[in-house]
Structures are given as C-alpha cells and as structure tokens.
Coordinates of all heavy atoms in Angstrom, one line a residue:
L23 N -3.5 21.5 7.1 CA -2.1 20.9 7.3 C -2.2 19.4 6.9 O -3.2 18.7 7.2 CB -1.7 21.1 8.7 CG -1.5 22.5 9.2 CD1 -1.0 22.5 10.6 CD2 -0.4 23.2 8.2
H24 N -1.1 18.9 6.3 CA -1.1 17.6 5.8 C 0.3 17.0 6.2 O 1.3 17.6 6.4 CB -1.2 17.5 4.3 CG -2.2 18.4 3.7 ND1 -3.5 18.0 3.7 CD2 -2.2 19.7 3.2 CE1 -4.3 19.0 3.2 NE2 -3.5 20.0 2.8
Y25 N 0.2 15.6 6.4 CA 1.4 14.8 6.8 C 1.5 13.7 5.8 O 0.5 13.1 5.3 CB 1.1 14.3 8.3 CG 0.9 15.4 9.2 CD1 -0.5 15.9 9.4 CD2 1.9 16.0 9.9 CE1 -0.7 16.9 10.3 CE2 1.6 17.2 10.8 CZ 0.3 17.5 10.9 OH 0.1 18.5 11.8
F26 N 2.8 13.2 5.6 CA 3.0 12.3 4.5 C 3.8 11.1 5.0 O 4.7 11.2 5.9 CB 3.9 13.0 3.5 CG 3.2 14.3 2.9 CD1 3.8 15.5 3.1 CD2 1.9 14.2 2.2 CE1 3.2 16.6 2.6 CE2 1.4 15.3 1.8 CZ 2.0 16.6 2.0
Y27 N 3.4 10.0 4.5 CA 4.1 8.7 4.7 C 4.7 8.2 3.3 O 4.0 8.4 2.3 CB 3.3 7.7 5.2 CG 2.6 7.8 6.6 CD1 1.7 8.8 6.8 CD2 3.2 7.1 7.7 CE1 1.1 8.9 8.1 CE2 2.6 7.3 9.0 CZ 1.5 8.2 9.2 OH 1.0 8.4 10.4
E28 N 5.9 7.6 3.5 CA 6.4 6.8 2.2 C 7.0 5.5 2.7 O 7.6 5.4 3.7 CB 7.5 7.7 1.6 CG 7.1 8.3 0.2 CD 8.2 9.0 -0.4 OE1 9.1 9.7 0.3 OE2 8.3 9.0 -1.7
I29 N 6.8 4.5 1.8 CA 7.2 3.2 2.2 C 7.7 2.4 0.9 O 7.1 2.6 -0.2 CB 6.0 2.3 2.8 CG1 5.4 3.0 4.0 CG2 6.4 0.9 3.1 CD1 4.2 2.4 4.5
S30 N 8.7 1.5 1.1 CA 9.1 0.6 0.0 C 9.3 -0.7 0.6 O 9.9 -0.8 1.7 CB 10.2 1.3 -0.8 OG 11.4 1.2 -0.1
L31 N 9.1 -1.8 -0.1 CA 9.4 -3.2 0.3 C 9.5 -4.0 -0.8 O 8.9 -3.8 -1.9 CB 8.5 -3.6 1.3 CG 7.0 -3.8 0.8 CD1 6.3 -5.1 1.4 CD2 6.1 -2.6 1.2
P32 N 10.3 -5.2 -0.8 CA 10.4 -6.1 -1.9 C 9.1 -6.8 -2.1 O 8.4 -7.2 -1.1 CB 11.5 -7.0 -1.4 CG 12.2 -6.3 -0.3 CD 11.1 -5.5 0.4
T33 N 8.7 -7.1 -3.3 CA 7.5 -7.8 -3.6 C 7.6 -9.3 -3.2 O 6.6 -9.9 -3.0 CB 7.0 -7.7 -5.1 OG1 8.1 -8.0 -5.9 CG2 6.6 -6.2 -5.3
S34 N 8.9 -9.7 -3.0 CA 9.1 -11.1 -2.6 C 8.5 -11.3 -1.2 O 8.2 -12.4 -0.9 CB 10.5 -11.4 -2.7 OG 11.3 -10.6 -1.8
W35 N 8.5 -10.3 -0.3 CA 7.9 -10.4 0.9 C 6.4 -10.7 0.8 O 5.8 -11.4 1.6 CB 8.2 -9.3 1.8 CG 9.6 -9.1 2.1 CD1 10.7 -10.0 1.8 CD2 10.3 -8.1 2.8 NE1 11.8 -9.5 2.3 CE2 11.6 -8.2 2.9 CE3 9.7 -6.8 3.3 CZ2 12.5 -7.4 3.5 CZ3 10.6 -6.0 4.0 CH2 12.0 -6.2 4.0
L36 N 5.8 -10.0 -0.2 CA 4.3 -10.2 -0.5 C 4.1 -11.7 -0.9 O 3.2 -12.4 -0.4 CB 3.8 -9.3 -1.4 CG 4.0 -7.8 -1.1 CD1 3.4 -6.9 -2.3 CD2 3.3 -7.3 0.2
T37 N 5.0 -12.2 -1.7 CA 4.8 -13.5 -2.2 C 5.0 -14.4 -1.0 O 4.3 -15.5 -0.9 CB 6.0 -13.8 -3.2 OG1 5.9 -12.9 -4.4 CG2 5.9 -15.3 -3.7
A38 N 5.9 -14.2 -0.1 CA 6.0 -15.1 1.1 C 4.8 -15.0 2.0 O 4.6 -15.9 2.7 CB 7.3 -14.6 1.9
A39 N 4.0 -13.9 1.9 CA 2.8 -13.8 2.7 C 1.6 -14.4 2.0 O 0.5 -14.4 2.6 CB 2.5 -12.3 3.0
G40 N 1.8 -14.9 0.8 CA 0.7 -15.5 0.1 C 0.3 -14.9 -1.2 O -0.8 -15.4 -1.8
W41 N 0.9 -13.8 -1.6 CA 0.6 -13.2 -2.9 C 0.8 -14.0 -4.0 O 2.0 -14.5 -4.2 CB 1.2 -11.8 -2.9 CG 0.9 -11.1 -4.2 CD1 -0.3 -10.8 -4.7 CD2 1.8 -10.3 -5.1 NE1 -0.2 -10.0 -5.8 CE2 1.1 -9.7 -6.0 CE3 3.2 -10.2 -5.0 CZ2 1.7 -8.9 -7.0 CZ3 3.8 -9.5 -6.0 CH2 3.1 -8.8 -7.0
D42 N -0.1 -14.2 -5.0 CA 0.2 -15.0 -6.2 C 0.3 -14.1 -7.5 O 0.4 -14.7 -8.5 CB -1.1 -16.0 -6.4 CG -2.4 -15.2 -6.6 OD1 -2.4 -14.0 -6.6 OD2 -3.4 -15.9 -6.7
G43 N 0.5 -12.9 -7.3 CA 0.8 -12.0 -8.4 C -0.5 -11.3 -8.9 O -0.4 -10.5 -9.8
S44 N -1.6 -11.6 -8.4 CA -2.9 -11.0 -8.8 C -3.0 -9.7 -8.2 O -2.2 -9.3 -7.3 CB -4.1 -12.0 -8.5 OG -4.1 -12.1 -7.0
A45 N -4.1 -9.0 -8.5 CA -4.4 -7.6 -8.0 C -4.6 -7.7 -6.4 O -5.0 -8.6 -5.9 CB -5.6 -7.1 -8.7
F46 N -4.2 -6.6 -5.9 CA -4.4 -6.5 -4.4 C -4.7 -5.0 -4.0 O -4.3 -4.2 -4.8 CB -3.2 -7.1 -3.6 CG -1.9 -6.4 -3.8 CD1 -1.5 -5.3 -3.0 CD2 -1.0 -6.8 -4.8 CE1 -0.3 -4.7 -3.2 CE2 0.2 -6.1 -5.0 CZ 0.6 -5.1 -4.2
N47 N -5.2 -4.8 -2.9 CA -5.5 -3.5 -2.3 C -4.6 -3.1 -1.2 O -4.2 -4.1 -0.4 CB -7.0 -3.4 -1.8 CG -8.0 -3.2 -2.9 OD1 -7.6 -2.5 -3.9 ND2 -9.2 -3.6 -2.7
I48 N -4.4 -1.9 -1.0 CA -3.6 -1.3 0.2 C -4.6 -0.4 0.9 O -5.2 0.4 0.3 CB -2.3 -0.6 -0.3 CG1 -1.4 -1.6 -1.0 CG2 -1.7 0.0 1.0 CD1 -0.2 -0.9 -1.7
H49 N -4.7 -0.6 2.2 CA -5.7 0.1 3.0 C -5.0 0.9 4.2 O -4.0 0.3 4.8 CB -6.7 -0.8 3.5 CG -7.7 -0.3 4.5 ND1 -7.3 0.0 5.8 CD2 -9.0 0.0 4.4 CE1 -8.4 0.4 6.5 NE2 -9.5 0.5 5.6
W50 N -5.5 2.1 4.5 CA -5.0 2.7 5.7 C -6.0 3.5 6.4 O -7.0 4.0 5.8 CB -3.8 3.7 5.3 CG -3.2 4.3 6.6 CD1 -2.2 3.9 7.4 CD2 -3.7 5.6 7.2 NE1 -1.9 4.7 8.5 CE2 -2.8 5.8 8.3 CE3 -4.5 6.6 6.9 CZ2 -2.9 7.0 9.1 CZ3 -4.7 7.7 7.7 CH2 -3.9 7.8 8.8
T51 N -6.0 3.5 7.7 CA -6.8 4.3 8.5 C -6.2 4.5 9.9 O -5.2 4.0 10.2 CB -8.3 3.6 8.7 OG1 -9.1 4.6 9.5 CG2 -8.2 2.4 9.6
E52 N -6.8 5.4 10.6 CA -6.3 5.7 12.0 C -6.9 4.6 13.0 O -7.7 3.8 12.5 CB -6.8 7.0 12.6 CG -6.4 8.2 11.6 CD -7.6 8.5 10.6 OE1 -8.6 7.7 10.6 OE2 -7.4 9.3 9.8
N53 N -6.4 4.5 14.2 CA -6.8 3.4 15.2 C -8.3 3.6 15.5 O -8.9 2.6 16.1 CB -6.0 3.5 16.4 CG -4.6 2.9 16.2 OD1 -4.4 2.0 15.3 ND2 -3.6 3.3 16.9
C54 N -9.0 4.8 15.3 CA -10.4 4.9 15.5 C -11.2 4.5 14.3 O -12.4 4.4 14.3 CB -10.7 6.3 16.0 SG -10.0 7.6 14.8
A55 N -10.5 4.4 13.1 CA -11.1 4.1 11.8 C -12.1 5.3 11.5 O -13.2 5.0 10.7 CB -11.8 2.8 11.8
N56 N -11.8 6.6 11.8 CA -12.7 7.6 11.4 C -12.8 7.8 9.9 O -13.8 8.0 9.3 CB -12.2 9.0 12.0 CG -12.7 9.2 13.4 OD1 -13.2 8.2 14.1 ND2 -12.5 10.4 14.0
D57 N -11.6 7.6 9.3 CA -11.6 7.8 7.8 C -10.7 6.7 7.2 O -9.5 6.5 7.9 CB -11.1 9.1 7.4 CG -11.3 9.4 6.0 OD1 -12.1 8.7 5.3 OD2 -10.8 10.4 5.4
S58 N -11.0 6.1 6.2 CA -10.1 5.0 5.6 C -9.9 5.3 4.1 O -10.7 6.0 3.5 CB -10.8 3.6 5.8 OG -11.9 3.6 5.1
I59 N -8.9 4.7 3.6 CA -8.6 5.0 2.1 C -7.9 3.7 1.6 O -7.1 3.0 2.3 CB -7.7 6.2 2.0 CG1 -7.7 6.7 0.5 CG2 -6.3 6.0 2.5 CD1 -7.2 8.1 0.3
I60 N -8.2 3.4 0.3 CA -7.8 2.1 -0.3 C -7.3 2.4 -1.7 O -7.9 3.2 -2.4 CB -8.9 1.1 -0.4 CG1 -9.4 0.7 1.0 CG2 -8.6 -0.1 -1.1 CD1 -10.6 -0.1 1.0
V61 N -6.2 1.7 -2.1 CA -5.7 1.8 -3.5 C -5.2 0.6 -3.9 O -4.6 -0.2 -3.1 CB -4.7 3.0 -3.6 CG1 -3.4 2.6 -3.0 CG2 -4.6 3.4 -5.1
D62 N -5.2 0.3 -5.2 CA -4.4 -0.9 -5.8 C -3.3 -0.4 -6.5 O -3.3 0.6 -7.3 CB -5.3 -1.8 -6.7 CG -6.0 -1.0 -7.9 OD1 -6.2 0.1 -7.7 OD2 -6.1 -1.7 -8.9
P63 N -2.1 -1.1 -6.5 CA -0.9 -0.5 -7.1 C -0.9 -0.7 -8.6 O -1.5 -1.6 -9.2 CB 0.2 -1.4 -6.6 CG -0.3 -2.1 -5.3 CD -1.8 -2.2 -5.6
S64 N -0.3 0.2 -9.3 CA 0.0 0.2 -10.7 C 1.3 -0.5 -10.9 O 2.1 -0.7 -10.0 CB 0.1 1.6 -11.3 OG 1.1 2.3 -10.8
R65 N 1.6 -1.0 -12.1 CA 2.9 -1.7 -12.3 C 3.6 -1.0 -13.4 O 3.0 -0.8 -14.5 CB 2.6 -3.2 -12.8 CG 1.9 -4.0 -11.7 CD 1.5 -5.4 -12.4 NE 0.8 -6.2 -11.4 CZ 1.4 -7.1 -10.7 NH1 2.7 -7.3 -10.7 NH2 0.6 -7.8 -9.9
V66 N 4.8 -0.6 -13.2 CA 5.6 0.1 -14.1 C 6.2 -1.1 -15.1 O 6.7 -2.0 -14.5 CB 6.7 0.9 -13.5 CG1 7.7 1.4 -14.5 CG2 6.2 2.2 -12.8
P67 N 6.2 -0.9 -16.4 CA 6.6 -2.1 -17.2 C 8.1 -2.3 -17.0 O 8.9 -1.5 -16.7 CB 6.5 -1.5 -18.6 CG 5.4 -0.5 -18.4 CD 5.6 0.2 -17.1
E68 N 8.4 -3.7 -16.9 CA 9.7 -4.2 -16.8 C 10.5 -3.9 -18.0 O 10.0 -3.8 -19.1 CB 9.8 -5.6 -16.6 CG 9.0 -6.1 -15.2 CD 10.0 -6.0 -14.1 OE1 11.1 -5.6 -14.2 OE2 9.5 -6.5 -12.9
P69 N 11.8 -3.6 -17.9 CA 12.7 -3.5 -19.1 C 12.5 -4.6 -20.1 O 12.5 -4.4 -21.3 CB 14.1 -3.4 -18.5 CG 13.9 -2.9 -17.2 CD 12.6 -3.5 -16.7

C-alpha cells in the first residue's frame, strides 16, 4: 500500500528564504528517520 503527497509553492518564497537560483535538494523522511529520500528539481523551459 502506498500514500501520496503533492505540494506547490511560488519559487519567490525560496528566494526570500535565501535561494540564489542555484541547484537545491528536497528531502523527506518520517519523524523516526527510518527511511529518507532526496531529489533536486528539474526546470521546465520558460516560454
């Protein structure tokens, strides 16, 4: 059995948090940290 999360947010909030436009990682795990997973986002080309 599997469970799914989906999230969206403006990248301007990342900029406000200190992002300079370079590569970054996204990480998730449970509160026990039994298993963790990391990915860096792809960029869809702007028009």
Side-chain angles (χ1 to χ4, degrees):
L23 294 180
H24 314 281
Y25 305 87
F26 305 114
Y27 294 75
E28 251 183 327
I29 301 170
S30 71
L31 63 141
T33 54
S34 59
W35 295 354
L36 303 182
T37 303
W41 181 47
D42 62 2
S44 60
F46 62 92
N47 277 333
I48 300 167
H49 172 283
W50 183 86
T51 186
E52 310 88 359
N53 284 332
C54 53
N56 275 13
D57 194 16
S58 64
I59 195 163
I60 299 174
V61 73
D62 61 324
S64 61
R65 296 171 186 265
V66 172
E68 297 275 6

